[in-house]
Amino acid sequence: MPAITERTKASGGALSPERAALRMKVAELDLEIFPETRRIKGVATLTLANSTALDRLLIDLDRNFTVSAISIDGKPLAKGAWTNPEGALAITLPARAAEGGTIVARITYEGEPHVAVRAPWDDGFVWSEVNGQPWLATTGQGYGCDLFWPCLDFPQGEIGKMTMRITVPKGLSAPANGKLLGVDRLSDGRTRWNWESGSINPYLVALSVGPYTEIKSAYKSRFGNTFPMHYWHVTGRDQQAAGLFAEFAPTIDFFEALIGPYPFPNEKLGVVETPYLGMEHQTINAYGNNYRKDETGFDWLFHHELAHEWFGNQMTAADWDDFWLHEGYGQYMQPLYGLWREGEARYATMMDAQRQNILNRAPIVSGRARTSNDVYELDLGGPGQDIYYKGAWVLHTLRNTIGDDAFFQVTRRIVYGRPDPKPGNFEPRFATTDEFVTLVREVTGRDYSWFFDVYLRQAALPELVETREGNRLTLTWKAPDGIPFPLPVEVQVGGKVRLLPMTGGTATLDIPAGAHIVVDPMARLLKRSAAIEAMQAQRVGG
């Protein structure tokens, strides 16, 4: 099978006017899975809105699929009306589409989908076996939805309504996004699983097929509504699966208490066991952590992916340049859960472990349109894992600077678009870093642009320089490019903690003779650490 093209690898980024003009109102996807030959057949019926006049459609689809038929608004096209040399399926329309209209494209295709090499760090199909039966799943955050269906492979290509009908061999289940409409049992033993979901980002559409056992129950929310919880696990792992399922309810309550209502109660909260680590597929999160336990007492992978129902699925980055809004928050939720369950000691321990992984090689936010891999890959000049760990520490520092009340007000407003979310009064939305900065100003009444200019838009961390002269201690922030950085600092002097306002980026205080001094004693601030840099250099040097 030929390698996928650079175009197919690119999800998001700068868009041509023809692509930017399209929005996916409805997608109906009929798929049949053939595990024995590792092939799929599909028919996608796409209802597209166009904001400008168009002579052709540009739809993203891996060129390794053979497109056998296309119709536009119910009229079949001749074979020469479409081409797909690089993964951009170009469909010549039979007549020019007027601005502000709707186009219905029906695309029939089949082929051998791209196989992921190291999912979920790269994307495609993962074909496996368990208990002597086929077990497969998809992932597409980096390369995108076009690895298995014709779509608009950029964040704003979100689908207003998605229907999937998935036909699988006898004895297999096919849990997917949204609400189950029913399972059709075909005469030859195969089953067709029918799913419907509301607004969903294209990279979140996922397939999982295997010999699953389902656990389910109803969750009674603190907001007064009730919704279904489902876990599809590999048959034979019943005891471990029951242990993980027991974590569902308390974890949901944590998120609802700190952030707000579960975003998709009209569908479900779903998790499916997969032959790779995990991914935040809306209402059907992939879980493959093999039920590993650690000192926290909860499954970090399950928790992280569930966090994305709020940070990524309800609130989606308008451009991948804002990726940190997904992963920084998703990563920060685990220490906050540690705090919720056990208190400050657990929180501090978890934050310290994350601090060691911050690399500071590129800014988290570039200010330009980027693809998912432009951000995720260090080799492409992106911040890589810093969108997780540094993003979490930026949020930690912000919370300790503006206080819990303001921090969680900002969080609710960026997630729900309003300060008072309740079931039924919000919809999935897009968000940007600039909006986040604006919300911090609106909630606090103070301009924190300097904070984000350093932490998000610069690679290097600010350095807190300590100068001691006699009985006087001077602290000075040294920020990249000389950016003013008046971040308040706590100092413990002789057992008592003082908060220095650091007006103008500096402060001086008198120290009693013999007093012991600790700067930032509770590690509330993200700053340069010579100790961590030395440790990281030693790691690299072996």
Side-chain angles (χ1 to χ4, degrees):
M1 180 176 64
I4 58 174
T5 66
E6 292 302 313
R7 171 61 184 271
T8 298
K9 286 182 181 180
S11 179
L15 302 177
S16 68
E18 287 174 298
R19 294 179 76 210
L22 294 175
R23 290 294 181 268
M24 187 85 70
K25 297 177 68 175
V26 180
E28 299 177 53
L29 188 59
D30 288 85
L31 284 172
E32 186 167 3
I33 314 298
F34 301 94
E36 67 281 2
T37 58
R38 297 190 171 187
R39 295 178 65 84
I40 66 172
K41 288 183 178 180
V43 178
T45 304
L46 314 177
T47 302
L48 303 156
N50 56 298
S51 60
T52 188
L54 294 174
D55 294 309
R56 65 174 184 168
L57 296 179
L58 290 180
I59 305 296
D60 297 295
L61 180 66
D62 185 0
R63 68 176 180 181
N64 292 335
F65 292 112
T66 299
V67 176
S68 58
I70 296 179
S71 67
I72 298 295
D73 297 330
K75 298 178 181 178
L77 300 183
K79 290 283 187 180
W82 66 87
T83 60
N84 190 18
E86 295 297 326
L89 178 61
I91 305 169
T92 302
L93 297 173
R96 189 170 217 214
E99 176 182 336
T102 299
I103 306 164
V104 179
R106 188 174 190 271
I107 302 167
T108 303
Y109 66 102
E110 65 176 288
E112 186 178 345
H114 177 74
V115 174
V117 177
R118 197 171 65 95
W121 294 276
D122 72 340
D123 297 297
F125 268 62
V126 178
W127 302 93
S128 185
E129 286 189 358
V130 65
N131 300 332
Q133 293 180 282
W135 186 26
L136 65 100
T138 63
T139 175
Q141 185 181 64
Y143 297 165
C145 49
D146 47 342
L147 291 178
F148 74 94
W149 67 284
C151 60
L152 303 179
D153 187 17
F154 49 89
Q156 299 280 350
E158 188 153 304
I159 308 108
K161 179 181 176 182
M162 181 92 188
T163 301
M164 284 199 289
R165 293 178 283 270
I166 308 163
T167 301
V168 297
K170 181 179 179 179
L172 302 182
S173 301
N177 312 92
K179 183 177 182 179
L180 183 63
L181 301 180
V183 179
D184 303 322
R185 303 195 179 279
L186 307 183
S187 59
D188 59 0
R190 293 176 301 153
T191 54
R192 181 167 55 236
W193 296 68
N194 305 295
W195 297 92
E196 182 178 277
S197 59
S199 184
I200 182 171
N201 204 263
Y203 88 89
L204 301 172
V205 176
L207 302 176
S208 299
V209 176
Y212 290 124
T213 297
E214 180 186 2
I215 308 175
K216 61 182 178 179
S217 70
Y219 178 77
K220 295 182 179 180
S221 166
R222 60 172 53 221
F223 288 93
N225 60 327
T226 300
F227 54 85
M229 301 184 299
H230 298 259
Y231 180 40
W232 285 270
H233 66 89
V234 169
T235 300
R237 299 177 182 175
D238 298 8
Q239 184 176 351
Q240 302 99 310
L244 181 65
F245 192 70
E247 294 190 33
F248 281 33
T251 308
I252 298 166
D253 188 55
F254 159 75
F255 281 111
E256 291 204 323
L258 260 68
I259 312 303
Y262 175 67
F264 309 104
N266 295 332
E267 297 177 12
K268 67 177 183 301
L269 187 150
V271 179
V272 60
E273 191 172 1
T274 54
Y276 65 84
L277 185 60
M279 184 58 66
E280 65 268 20
H281 301 136
Q282 187 168 306
T283 72
I284 190 68
N285 287 332
Y287 172 84
N289 200 32
N290 204 28
Y291 307 101
R292 294 183 182 92
K293 302 297 181 184
D294 62 23
E295 69 281 2
T296 66
F298 63 92
D299 194 301
W300 72 268
L301 189 280
F302 161 72
H303 192 280
H304 181 88
E305 303 306 347
L306 185 59
H308 282 306
E309 296 285 25
W310 285 262
F311 307 103
N313 302 355
Q314 161 60 28
M315 177 272 293
T316 302
D319 186 275
W320 285 114
D321 196 39
D322 303 305
F323 206 164
W324 78 279
L325 289 171
H326 293 199
E327 300 298 354
Y329 262 112
Q331 193 72 26
Y332 189 43
M333 288 300 110
Q334 284 83 75
L336 283 179
Y337 192 44
L339 176 65
W340 173 268
R341 288 163 55 93
E342 297 183 65
E344 292 286 353
R346 177 64 65 200
Y347 174 83
T349 300
M350 296 176 74
M351 289 306 303
D352 182 66
Q354 293 192 23
R355 176 64 183 88
Q356 299 173 36
N357 296 316
I358 297 175
L359 301 176
N360 304 308
R361 295 184 188 174
I364 292 178
V365 176
S366 71
R368 58 181 174 81
R370 293 199 287 186
T371 70
S372 176
N373 283 344
D374 284 341
V375 179
Y376 211 89
E377 300 294 337
L378 286 171
D379 291 345
L380 297 178
Q385 68 188 42
D386 276 2
I387 61 175
Y388 295 80
Y389 303 114
K390 189 172 182 178
W393 262 84
V394 169
L395 294 170
H396 164 76
T397 303
L398 180 66
R399 184 173 73 87
N400 281 296
T401 300
I402 67 176
D404 278 9
D405 183 65
F407 178 81
F408 287 109
Q409 281 191 56
V410 170
T411 301
R412 278 186 285 276
R413 289 177 63 177
I414 199 73
V415 169
Y416 298 101
R418 59 187 302 159
D420 59 343
K422 297 177 178 63
N425 75 353
F426 60 88
E427 295 180 349
R429 67 187 306 271
F430 293 100
T432 67
T433 299
D434 287 344
E435 181 192 6
F436 187 80
V437 174
T438 298
L439 286 175
V440 172
R441 183 177 68 247
E442 291 177 354
V443 169
T444 64
R446 300 180 62 182
D447 186 359
Y448 282 91
S449 297
W450 53 269
F451 180 98
F452 299 105
D453 287 345
V454 169
Y455 281 132
L456 298 182
R457 297 184 171 93
Q458 298 287 327
L461 292 176
E463 182 177 3
L464 187 57
V465 180
E466 303 176 28
T467 306
R468 183 79 177 263
E469 293 181 358
N471 66 343
R472 294 176 68 83
L473 172 68
T474 299
L475 298 179
T476 303
W477 281 112
K478 183 180 178 183
D481 292 342
I483 298 172
F485 198 68
L487 183 65
V489 178
E490 287 183 338
V491 179
Q492 180 177 301
V493 181
K496 295 183 178 180
V497 177
R498 294 178 55 183
L499 180 64
L500 303 184
M502 300 297 286
T503 305
T506 190
T508 300
L509 70 159
D510 293 327
I511 304 298
H516 181 63
I517 303 166
V518 180
V519 176
D520 189 23
M522 297 301 293
R524 300 189 193 277
L525 309 179
L526 177 58
K527 56 188 180 297
R528 185 184 176 194
S529 168
I532 289 177
E533 289 176 4
M535 179 202 67
Q536 290 175 337
Q538 191 173 44
R539 280 180 184 173
V540 173

